Every structure is written in C-alpha cells, then in structure tokens.
Amino acid sequence: MQIQNKKWKNYLILTIISFVFILFFDIVPRFYSAISLISNVITEKDKISKEAESEKSEKDLLAENRFLKSEMKNTLSGYDGKGNISSVISMLDSIANLSDVKITSIKPQKTYKKDNLVLQPIEINIMTKYEMAYNYICFLEKASKVVLIKDLNIKSKERCKDSLSVKTGIEVYLNL
C-alpha cells in the first residue's frame, strides 16, 4: 500500500512513532512493574511458607520440650514419699554380699528435699577387712542409685587385727 499524499504519509509515520514511544515509555514500564510485583508475590509466598514451616517446627519443638519436661518430672517425682527405702536396703545388702562385707547396722535418717530431689541419709556400720571395705565403697560409688558418700570412719579392733569397723555416712538420691 502506497500513500500518495505526503501529508497522510507523515501522519502515519508520526502515529507509528507515537505508538512506539507510548509502547516504550508507558507499556514497557507497566509490564516491568507487573513482572516485579509477580516476583515479589512469589518471594513473599516463599517467605510465608518458610515461616509456616519454622512455626510448625517450633511448635513441634515446644511439644517435645513439654514431653521431656513431663518425663523429667515423672522421673524426679517417682519417689512415693512414704519413707519406703526397701529398695535402697536391698541394694546395700547386695553390694555387701558382692564385696564380702558384714553389715552390723543400717540407720536410715529422715529424708529431705534438695532442688526437687529426695535424699535419704543413711548411716551404715560394717565389719570387714581393709580390702573388702575398699571394694564396698567402690561398689557404693557405682551403685544403680546415685549414692553420695558424706562420711567415712575406719577403726581397727584391738583383739582382732584383721577386722575393721567402718562407719559410713551416705546420702541416696531416691528419685534418680
């Protein structure tokens, strides 16, 4: 198509240039703005999903923490508080049999609480030889319950040189 009139030809060229100008300076920036908005929406969606995952993991960790706290509380409060130390006495007796020691007396004292732990002080008197007393103390330290040795007195009997009288003050953690 050829335009014979120069005036209409100029109008057509001017219209095309105006369209390209409008396209370049108005439509392209809007298109760029739309693309940047879409990318921002996608980025925000990813951030929201990551926050939701971290929130979920935080909730899981809080639930696990509550579970562990309750388990710890159950473990630490497992002692019934009735003063029943039969398990401790049987433990002491089995350690005495294991180390070949003769227990002459066991004197449990009043239990008390220290930092949410129940402690049972006990005074134990034994008669034995030195090596066996040493073994008994070592076995006490490695007992199934946590045992704290507070006091240890050793006396030898004059009439029987091979026999020692050992007085031991211990504290047993009843709820550990």
Side-chain angles (χ1 to χ4, degrees), residues 107-123:
K107 297 176 187 171
Q109 296 158 2
K110 187 175 180 175
T111 60
Y112 66 95
K113 270 191 161 185
K114 181 180 180 183
D115 298 327
N116 202 23
L117 299 172
V118 179
L119 286 108
Q120 173 69 61
I122 302 172
E123 184 181 299

Side-chain angles (χ1 to χ4, degrees), residues 149-166:
I149 299 173
K150 296 293 261 181
D151 189 25
L152 181 66
N153 294 320
I154 301 174
K155 293 182 184 176
S156 68
K157 298 283 185 178
E158 291 195 21
R159 54 189 150 125
C160 186
K161 299 286 184 191
D162 288 342
S163 183
L164 297 174
S165 173
V166 180

